[in-house]
Amino acid sequence: MQEIGIENPEVHLEHPEDFAHGDYSTNVALRYAKELKLKPRELAEKIVTALQGLTLNREKGQTFIERIEIAGAGFINFHLSKEFFTKSIGEIFRQAQDYGKSVSLVHKKVLVEYTDPNPFKEFHIGHLMSNTIGESISRLIGARGAEVKRACYQGDVGLHVAKAIWGARSAQIKDLGFKIKEIQEWGKAYALGAEKYETDVNAKKEIEELNKVIYERSDAEINRLHDEGKKVSLAEFERLYKKLSTHFDFYFFESDMAPRGVEIVREGQKKGVFEESEGAIVFKGEQYGLHTRVFINSQGLPTYEAKELALAKYKEEKYPADTSVVITGNEVNEYFRVLLKAMEFLFPALAKKTVHASHGMLRLPSGKMSSRKGDVITAEALISQVEEMVREKIKEREFSKEEKEKITEAVAIGALKYSILRQAVGGDIIFDFEKSISFEGDSGPYLQYSYARAQSVLRKVDKVEPFSDSKVQPPEVGLLERTLYRFPEVVERAGTLYEPHHVVTYLIELSGAFNTWYAQEKIIGSKEEAYRLSLTQAFATVMKNGLSLLGIPVLEQM
């Protein structure tokens, strides 16, 4: 571009929707034509002439460009060569499980906080959504070379705990058979306390007084109930994390943040960041286009906002990351905007490197869930329901009972995670039970089945030898080859934007390309057996790596 008068041009490459238009395309000629006082097509011709002189010297073997064409008003389309696709498949063999990874964030540290279930309440489908998105984003960031640590922040104090303990005591007093060691019982206790808090003035007063007692840990019996409820809850959460193939490096609790939060807000009040209003300490956000939020209530107790400030500071002390990502539901978007604005005054450097990524709600066809009414849809119930549907679907298949159960759980988890990750983070999702477990089309099981199909082919041979550029050339380049090489750039984009759906979309396209190719081409016993087995292996490698980034279980056979 320097030869034609443009220093350091911004050149954006994209993939045309139709492969007939090339593997890459750029509108750079349309972008700079006016500046150079040329017609876009005229500038495109100049650029192509210059590029051909640089890149199409086949005698020296310096190019992977087959040809460059001009289309329409001045788009420049690039068609990659057979040599390029041969080399790209060889690269998949060479890198294997590392294919798709990069070093764009090497030496960087990233802390990702997600899931954040509250003890004393059951792990519901909202937590399942946060966990699925957070785990995939963590893996995508790790694939870019960063050191990633996972954090979970849990509310072991607060009104919801007071409601649960009030409900538990009420059930015990009335001899309702409350079982202190069962999470389901604590869920019912919370629902009872939440209902009475809204409908019974005396109960509301008792719960608010109990909330203060819990903070102060001033009553032995209340402490016993609190500690047992927390223990039961955390054990249940860990069981689910194992099932969902996730783990956490740090567990943070509200009870530890409360005193630190009060201290931070009091110091901020001295600096003029916060002010008193009707006995409470607030941050008035209206002057910044936001809204007022309470950080210490009129009883002198820190609110969630104050504890969140303490959490941000505590995270920095425990793990000084370059970026701190917080993943929550989008119902707290406005809350986070106020929080980050307050952080700008208190901890400007920390605020700058804090990223809030929010997601929508997971809904069932029956409507929105509600834990206050006691009809919360738990993650366990949803997983079990999907497992039962999968179990029925594969009951005629010739697997042992143990194998069927393994497949059932993996397919159910894959179905749920895919349904959550398939669309852009931020929108609500209505979970379609039948579509989610389909082995065809737009579903997690379809991806799992496509991988298993490739593995069934590869099991028929002793070994697939990685081929060299000089020995094996594709008879012709098809959709499968033209899709495979794009995986690393898809992973990079998804990790940069914190948007796993880009990987989902890619894997669906890749699976479609493989299954079409599989239906049309003979692999074993064909003249191109070596190449086609290599292509099958390359597909299986990319699928396995992609499913891993989504946290979807990989099955060798289905």
Side-chain angles (χ1 to χ4, degrees):
M1 294 293 283
Q2 289 180 339
E3 291 90 340
I4 54 179
I6 301 176
E7 293 286 338
N8 302 316
E10 290 186 16
V11 180
H12 297 284
L13 293 171
E14 60 182 26
H15 298 291
E17 291 186 12
D18 187 343
F19 283 108
H21 297 155
D23 298 292
Y24 287 103
S25 180
T26 180
N27 66 348
V28 66
L30 284 79
R31 183 170 183 179
Y32 289 101
K34 187 175 181 180
E35 180 181 331
L36 295 174
K37 298 180 181 179
L38 294 170
K39 291 180 180 180
R41 194 170 181 90
E42 183 182 357
L43 177 56
E45 290 171 353
K46 288 179 175 290
I47 293 172
V48 169
T49 298
L51 287 174
Q52 287 175 332
L54 292 171
T55 65
L56 297 185
N57 188 344
R58 286 192 169 278
E59 291 182 357
K60 295 183 179 180
Q62 294 177 343
T63 183
F64 289 122
I65 304 295
E66 181 73 34
R67 66 184 187 276
I68 307 173
E69 298 175 338
I70 301 171
F75 289 95
I76 302 174
N77 296 334
F78 300 87
H79 297 258
L80 299 174
S81 67
K82 285 185 179 182
E83 291 88 345
F84 171 84
F85 291 108
T86 302
K87 183 176 176 61
S88 71
I89 294 168
E91 194 65 18
I92 296 172
F93 270 84
R94 188 182 70 79
Q95 295 188 33
Q97 71 269 18
D98 291 328
Y99 186 70
K101 296 181 179 180
S102 73
V103 294
S104 58
L105 288 181
V106 72
H107 305 311
K108 297 293 184 181
K109 295 182 177 180
V110 181
L111 181 67
V112 186
E113 178 206 323
Y114 59 99
T115 309
D116 298 353
N118 286 326
F120 304 91
K121 296 169 70 175
E122 291 187 88
F123 192 105
H124 58 63
I125 60 176
H127 298 131
L128 176 63
M129 190 164 183
S130 176
N131 183 272
T132 298
I133 293 170
E135 179 61 29
S136 184
I137 287 175
S138 298
R139 295 183 183 203
L140 285 165
I141 294 171
R144 296 181 64 207
E147 177 182 281
V148 179
K149 297 294 183 183
R150 295 158 170 80
C152 188
Y153 180 47
Q154 299 169 107
D156 61 334
V157 291
L159 264 181
H160 76 279
V161 179
K163 291 171 183 176
I165 291 179
W166 185 93
R169 295 184 77 198
S170 178
Q172 286 182 327
I173 290 169
K174 295 177 182 178
D175 194 24
L176 298 180
F178 176 78
K179 299 178 181 64
I180 195 171
K181 295 182 183 290
E182 293 185 8
I183 187 62
Q184 294 80 6
E185 295 293 308
W186 279 104
K188 292 174 184 176
Y190 168 75
L192 174 62
E195 179 190 355
K196 292 298 182 182
Y197 187 82
E198 300 290 341
T199 60
D200 187 323
V201 176
N202 290 329
K204 181 177 182 179
K205 184 178 179 181
E206 290 175 4
I207 289 169
E208 288 176 345
E209 291 173 351
L210 183 58
N211 188 35
K212 195 168 184 179
V213 171
I214 293 169
Y215 267 108
E216 296 171 348
R217 290 190 67 82
S218 56
D219 184 293
E221 175 58 20
I222 298 301
N223 292 346
R224 185 186 71 82
L225 273 173
H226 176 273
D227 294 346
E228 188 60 44
K230 181 176 176 180
K231 179 181 177 181
V232 170
S233 299
L234 297 183
E236 173 66 8
F237 296 162
E238 286 301 320
R239 187 184 68 79
L240 284 168
Y241 296 150
K242 184 176 181 180
K243 194 166 191 173
L244 295 169
S245 299
T246 192
H247 75 279
F248 294 99
D249 301 287
F250 299 106
Y251 292 92
F252 301 117
F253 294 95
E254 276 192 58
S255 57
D256 296 324
M257 304 304 133
R260 294 167 64 101
V262 171
E263 183 180 334
I264 289 170
V265 173
R266 294 294 185 193
E267 285 298 315
Q269 185 182 10
K270 294 176 183 177
K271 298 175 182 178
V273 177
F274 304 102
E275 57 186 88
E276 188 172 341
S277 176
E278 299 180 7
I281 308 300
V282 304
F283 177 85
K284 292 195 172 179
E286 283 76 8
Q287 58 188 315
Y288 310 109
L290 302 170
H291 65 281
T292 294
R293 293 200 73 91
V294 176
F295 280 70
I296 296 179
N297 66 23
S298 57
Q299 292 181 304
L301 296 176
T303 62
Y304 203 80
E305 289 83 343
K307 288 175 278 189
E308 194 82 48
L309 290 175
L311 174 64
K313 196 68 177 170
Y314 192 58
K315 283 180 181 177
E316 178 72 2
E317 294 170 6
K318 296 293 286 185
Y319 185 71
D322 297 285
T323 304
S324 179
V325 183
V326 183
I327 298 169
T328 73
N330 57 18
E331 70 272 16
V332 296
N333 281 356
E334 294 304 315
Y335 155 86
F336 251 93
R337 289 190 182 101
V338 175
L339 184 72
L340 288 172
K341 177 55 68 174
M343 281 178 62
E344 285 180 20
F345 296 107
L346 298 166
F347 321 120
L350 197 51
K352 190 174 181 180
K353 65 182 183 181
T354 300
V355 177
H356 177 226
S358 64
H359 57 78
M361 306 303 293
L362 178 61
R363 304 178 188 274
L364 302 186
S366 58
K368 188 177 180 180
M369 64 185 181
S370 171
S371 58
R372 288 190 300 174
K373 295 179 181 178
D375 58 355
V376 59
I377 302 167
T378 67
E380 183 66 28
L382 182 58
I383 293 170
S384 295
Q385 189 170 343
V386 177
E387 284 180 339
E388 189 56 42
M389 294 176 70
V390 174
R391 195 173 286 113
E392 179 66 23
K393 192 178 183 74
I394 67 169
K395 66 180 182 180
E396 302 300 329
R397 304 205 173 193
E398 295 182 357
F399 294 111
S400 68
K401 184 177 180 181
E402 183 179 337
E403 288 172 331
K404 280 186 178 179
E405 282 306 301
K406 178 183 176 183
I407 292 170
T408 294
E409 180 175 308
V411 171
I413 295 297
L416 285 162
K417 288 193 172 188
Y418 180 92
S419 297
I420 291 169
L421 297 172
R422 65 184 292 271
Q423 71 178 48
V425 174
D428 288 356
I429 296 168
I430 297 179
F431 183 71
D432 186 320
F433 283 92
E434 291 297 335
K435 187 176 180 180
S436 74
I437 63 169
S438 172
F439 283 17
E440 298 179 2
D442 189 8
S443 72
Y446 172 69
L447 297 183
Q448 293 170 312
Y449 186 73
S450 298
Y451 172 79
R453 169 175 276 176
Q455 289 299 97
S456 71
V457 173
L458 298 171
R459 280 195 295 272
K460 294 176 182 178
V461 297
D462 293 332
K463 187 178 181 182
V464 179
E465 295 289 344
F467 58 90
S468 66
D469 298 13
S470 59
K471 291 182 179 179
V472 182
Q473 292 291 323
E476 61 180 62
V477 175
L479 181 60
L480 182 53
E481 291 95 333
R482 293 185 187 279
T483 305
L484 277 169
Y485 83 95
R486 298 181 180 185
F487 182 60
E489 64 187 70
V490 172
V491 174
E492 186 70 16
R493 182 185 184 193
T496 302
L497 300 176
Y498 308 128
E499 294 179 346
H501 77 274
H502 294 297
V503 176
V504 174
T505 301
Y506 169 82
L507 292 182
I508 281 292
E509 293 175 356
L510 180 63
S511 294
F514 173 75
N515 287 316
T516 298
W517 176 79
Y518 176 88
Q520 294 174 348
E521 304 290 350
K522 182 180 181 180
I523 300 173
I524 297 177
S526 67
K527 290 181 180 180
E528 292 83 24
E529 179 181 301
Y531 173 72
R532 289 177 180 173
L533 281 172
S534 295
L535 191 55
T536 302
Q537 179 64 70
F539 165 77
T541 297
V542 172
M543 279 299 299
K544 186 173 186 177
N545 293 355
L547 288 170
S548 177
L549 290 173
L550 299 176
I552 291 178
V554 175
L555 289 166
E556 298 298 315
Q557 54 184 348
M558 289 173 68

